[in-house]
């Protein structure tokens, strides 16, 4: 069975600072895809960033970047220059190539950005 | 604009009642999914469907039922057999074979009264 673990239930960061959210996963597959989703207070799920496991280069999207360590099965999210609008639940998720696109989600990290 | 529409946004259910949550997409996506989210927890898969007239149970299917009569629609019925239905329900869709994640609906908050 595939599992995703987010070990930090809650985190906080000062506005304009950098924060890193942790995620580890367990799979015996070699070909898979990893995602970070953001769920703000509106509860709308928003895709933040995506990483293909066969690519060694870490994905970046503006202020968001990942540190993908395939051997360690680790996929952390770094948010630079944190903004008040980054306050949200963040979910790590992944899918394996032959799983019909089905995502397995972690338990989430609640991030609070303080002014 | 293409997207996924979930309705209603809020739903109240009396004990012993069945209720149906609507999910409609106009993205021409093949696959559709239902997830349940409890407070402070992650998303758990209830049911998914990859093709019309076919669907599969997820991790927590007991007390729920679905249908997929049209590609665009994937309604979820919460039956009286579901003993703890109060939760936030999310519907999602994706294109099979393209691993770009899901498009999500805005969710339905179901409360037992």
């Amino acid at each position: 069975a595939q599992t995703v673990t987010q070990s930090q239930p809650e985190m906080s960061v000062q506005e304009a600072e950098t924060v890193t959210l942790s995620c580890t996963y367990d799979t015996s597959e070699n070909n898979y895809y990893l995602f970070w989703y953001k769920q703000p207070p509106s509860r709308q799920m928003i895709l933040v960033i995506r990483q293909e496991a066969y690519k060694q280069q870490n994905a970046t999207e503006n202020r968001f970047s990942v540190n993908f360590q395939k051997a360690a099965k680790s996929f952390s999210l770094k948010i630079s220059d944190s903004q008040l609008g980054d306050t949200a639940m963040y979910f790590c998720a992944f899918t394996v190539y032959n799983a019909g696109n089905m995502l397995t989600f972690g338990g989430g990290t609640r991030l609070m950005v303080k002014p | 604009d293409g997207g996924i529409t979930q309705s209603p946004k809020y739903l109240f259910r009396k004990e012993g009642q069945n209720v149906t949550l609507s999910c409609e997409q106009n993205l021409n996506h093949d696959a559709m999914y239902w997830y349940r989210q409890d407070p402070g927890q992650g998303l758990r898969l209830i049911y998914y469907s990859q093709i019309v007239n076919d669907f599969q149970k997820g991790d927590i299917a007991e007390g729920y039922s679905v249908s997929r009569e049209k590609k665009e629609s994937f309604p979820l019925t919460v039956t009286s057999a579901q003993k703890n239905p109060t939760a936030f329900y999310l519907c999602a869709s994706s294109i099979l074979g393209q691993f770009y994640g899901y498009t999500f609906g805005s969710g339905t908050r179901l409360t037992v009264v």
Side-chain angles (χ1 to χ4, degrees):
Chain A
Q2 336 283 357
T3 60
V4 180
T5 302
Q6 294 180 246
S7 59
Q8 305 149 315
E10 293 187 2
M11 295 190 71
S12 64
V13 63
Q14 292 297 130
E15 197 175 5
E17 293 189 347
T18 296
V19 64
T20 298
L21 309 182
S22 301
C23 172
T24 57
Y25 58 93
D26 187 26
T27 181
S28 57
E29 301 288 336
N30 193 49
N31 194 3
Y32 51 88
Y33 300 80
L34 295 152
F35 306 86
W36 278 98
Y37 279 89
K38 168 185 177 181
Q39 188 181 44
S42 68
R43 305 201 78 171
Q44 177 68 53
M45 295 284 283
I46 301 164
L47 178 63
V48 174
I49 201 163
R50 168 184 174 271
Q51 174 79 41
E52 299 169 22
Y54 62 87
K55 288 189 176 179
Q56 293 186 350
Q57 186 175 5
N58 289 323
T60 62
E61 287 288 342
N62 301 314
R63 298 183 294 108
F64 299 88
S65 61
V66 298
N67 183 4
F68 174 46
Q69 301 290 328
K70 191 172 184 178
K73 295 181 181 176
S74 171
F75 183 60
S76 60
L77 175 70
K78 186 172 82 170
I79 306 174
S80 304
D81 185 26
S82 297
Q83 300 176 359
L84 296 178
D86 295 334
T87 293
M89 283 286 288
Y90 287 83
F91 293 99
C92 178
F94 88 112
T95 185
V96 298
Y97 181 76
N98 59 354
N101 288 30
M102 230 167 13
L103 291 180
T104 299
F105 288 85
T109 296
R110 184 177 303 278
L111 176 67
M112 173 73 73
V113 179
K114 298 179 178 179
Chain B
D1 287 339
I4 296 184
T5 302
Q6 286 188 247
S7 62
K9 193 173 179 65
Y10 301 97
L11 187 57
F12 298 90
R13 191 193 94 166
K14 294 181 180 178
E15 296 282 349
Q17 219 177 29
N18 292 355
V19 291
T20 297
L21 283 60
S22 172
C23 179
E24 304 273 338
Q25 55 100 358
N26 60 3
L27 300 164
N28 199 32
H29 284 180
D30 313 289
M32 298 185 74
Y33 315 83
W34 276 104
Y35 284 84
R36 170 177 171 146
Q37 184 179 18
D38 292 286
Q41 297 189 27
L43 280 65
R44 294 184 290 169
L45 182 65
I46 305 173
Y47 268 98
Y48 67 99
S49 169
Q50 297 181 350
I51 194 171
V52 173
N53 292 323
D54 187 53
F55 45 84
Q56 306 295 328
K57 292 182 179 180
D59 301 319
I60 57 165
E62 185 175 350
Y64 300 97
S65 66
V66 293
S67 64
R68 187 92 185 272
E69 297 177 0
K70 300 185 301 181
K71 188 175 185 179
E72 302 79 14
S73 179
F74 192 43
L76 173 73
T77 296
V78 185
T79 74
S80 57
Q82 172 48 242
K83 297 306 178 189
N84 185 23
T86 295
F88 187 65
Y89 291 86
L90 281 162
C91 180
S93 69
S94 71
I95 300 174
L96 289 176
Q98 295 187 16
F99 300 93
Y100 296 106
Y102 293 163
T103 299
F104 281 92
S106 56
T108 293
R109 171 69 182 174
L110 174 62
T111 304
V112 175
V113 297

